[in-house]
Amino acid sequence: MAFCSNCGTKLEENEKFCPNCGTQREQVANAQNAEASAEPQVVVNNGNQNENYNAAVMGASGKLDTPSLVWSIINLIVCCQPLGIASLILTILAKEAPTAADEEKKLKAAKICNLIGTIGAAVIYFCYIIFYVFIFAMASA
Amino acid sequence: MRILVGVGAPALLLLTALFALWFEKTPPCIFYEATGLYCVGCGTGRALLSLLHGELYAAFRYQPLLIPLLPLIAYCLLKYYIACVLGRDLLPLPRIRARFVGIAVLVLILSYWILRNIPAFPFYYLAPTEV
């Protein structure tokens, strides 16, 4: 699998030119594999270079999505711990995702986990408050 | 929708605050009820209640994590409230470029979860204690 170095469209094996922008296909496949396997051990002063290459070739941002991170932390603390952990891991995986599409997918999964956790917790807390007020009202009546 | 959130969110916040102040009660923690061990969020409710009363130190003893996290969470909630009501994203929240921040957060939270439960110095400062 390779991607157009100009617009990031996925190129089939037999396609020599990008069907989207017409740029000639470059030999980026090997570079991609090296990139993917080198990612965890990247030396600090090469970090920016690899990120720029990542973003330029494959369209992924390579950055940690802060709103998703904060929401995951909120979930971990006050809502649902397992879902909070799941969404935090998904957000981290989205940062390391090789393509923009993959990153979007992981961020969307993280968002769904966060949503379920937050709404579930909100419903439970709300029921707790209603229940408590109800009991109080009954007791003092 | 904008009006619903614009009015509803502060109203909900106010109602929750009033409920907590009136009854002096916070929701129980399912993890704690089930296992007897503190979870990450144990004490958050009591900490927020103490903050409503103005007791900063008590809030810190209930949930130390709130000190760094509450400003950040308040900023994010405010950002999304403004974005939803006014339609314009006024408060910036850039994506994090530095490596290992996500993993560091995960490790921090998990170790906080475990360390809170150790009844030894200095970890008992992490557990929710009444002052």
Side-chain angles (χ1 to χ4, degrees):
Chain A
M1 190 194 305
F3 297 83
C4 169
S5 59
N6 186 40
C7 68
T9 311
K10 186 173 147 204
L11 300 176
E12 299 303 327
E13 290 295 276
N14 55 349
E15 283 175 332
K16 291 263 181 0
F17 294 89
C18 172
N20 187 39
C21 67
T23 308
Q24 186 173 13
R25 173 201 183 117
E26 295 176 9
Q27 296 304 318
V28 290
N30 291 335
Q32 273 185 23
N33 287 339
E35 185 73 54
S37 57
E39 197 63 75
Q41 303 134 350
V42 157
V43 178
V44 169
N45 49 10
N46 273 344
N48 282 338
Q49 276 184 6
N50 283 331
E51 267 177 38
N52 291 336
Y53 180 71
N54 223 13
V57 173
M58 305 179 225
S61 71
K63 296 186 212 159
L64 198 64
D65 189 44
T66 318
S68 188
L69 178 74
V70 175
W71 201 356
S72 308
I73 296 178
I74 296 179
N75 253 308
L76 263 175
I77 293 185
V78 293
C79 302
C80 177
Q81 269 87 17
L83 283 179
I85 293 181
S87 68
L88 186 58
I89 293 181
L90 280 167
T91 313
I92 297 173
L93 286 178
K95 174 177 186 280
E96 307 294 334
T99 65
D102 195 29
E103 182 181 10
E104 281 306 310
K105 210 166 62 168
K106 297 224 161 61
L107 280 181
K108 182 150 187 233
K111 186 171 175 184
I112 293 177
C113 285
N114 282 330
L115 213 60
I116 299 176
T118 315
I119 294 189
V123 164
I124 292 179
Y125 288 160
F126 191 61
C127 289
Y128 175 81
I129 291 180
I130 299 282
F131 180 70
Y132 204 83
V133 171
F134 186 66
I135 296 289
F136 181 78
M138 296 294 294
S140 58
Chain B
M1 183 64 194
R2 273 172 38 179
I3 309 174
L4 190 68
V5 170
V7 175
L12 218 64
L13 208 66
L14 200 66
L15 280 175
T16 327
L18 284 175
F19 167 81
L21 278 174
W22 180 266
F23 289 101
E24 295 289 329
K25 195 87 170 67
T26 47
C29 174
I30 305 176
F31 186 81
Y32 182 68
E33 303 291 326
T35 67
L37 297 171
Y38 298 124
C39 79
V40 189
C42 277
T44 311
R46 284 169 282 174
L48 291 172
L49 191 53
S50 309
L51 276 180
L52 277 178
H53 284 301
E55 296 156 13
L56 212 54
Y57 180 65
F60 169 73
R61 287 304 300 270
Y62 277 129
Q63 176 70 289
L65 257 190
L66 226 54
I67 303 278
L69 287 183
L70 198 60
L72 182 65
I73 293 177
Y75 181 82
C76 284
L77 289 177
L78 198 64
K79 168 189 154 81
Y80 285 112
Y81 179 73
I82 293 179
C84 184
V85 171
L86 293 179
R88 289 162 44 204
D89 195 8
L90 289 177
L91 301 176
L93 193 66
R95 290 183 159 197
I96 299 173
R97 195 161 235 255
R99 296 187 74 84
F100 308 129
V101 170
I103 303 198
V105 167
L106 188 64
V107 168
L108 202 79
I109 300 257
L110 288 179
S111 56
Y112 180 74
W113 194 344
I114 298 174
L115 290 178
R116 293 192 103 178
N117 291 299
I118 301 177
F121 182 84
F123 302 127
Y124 52 63
Y125 280 107
L126 298 178
T129 37
E130 206 165 325
V131 284

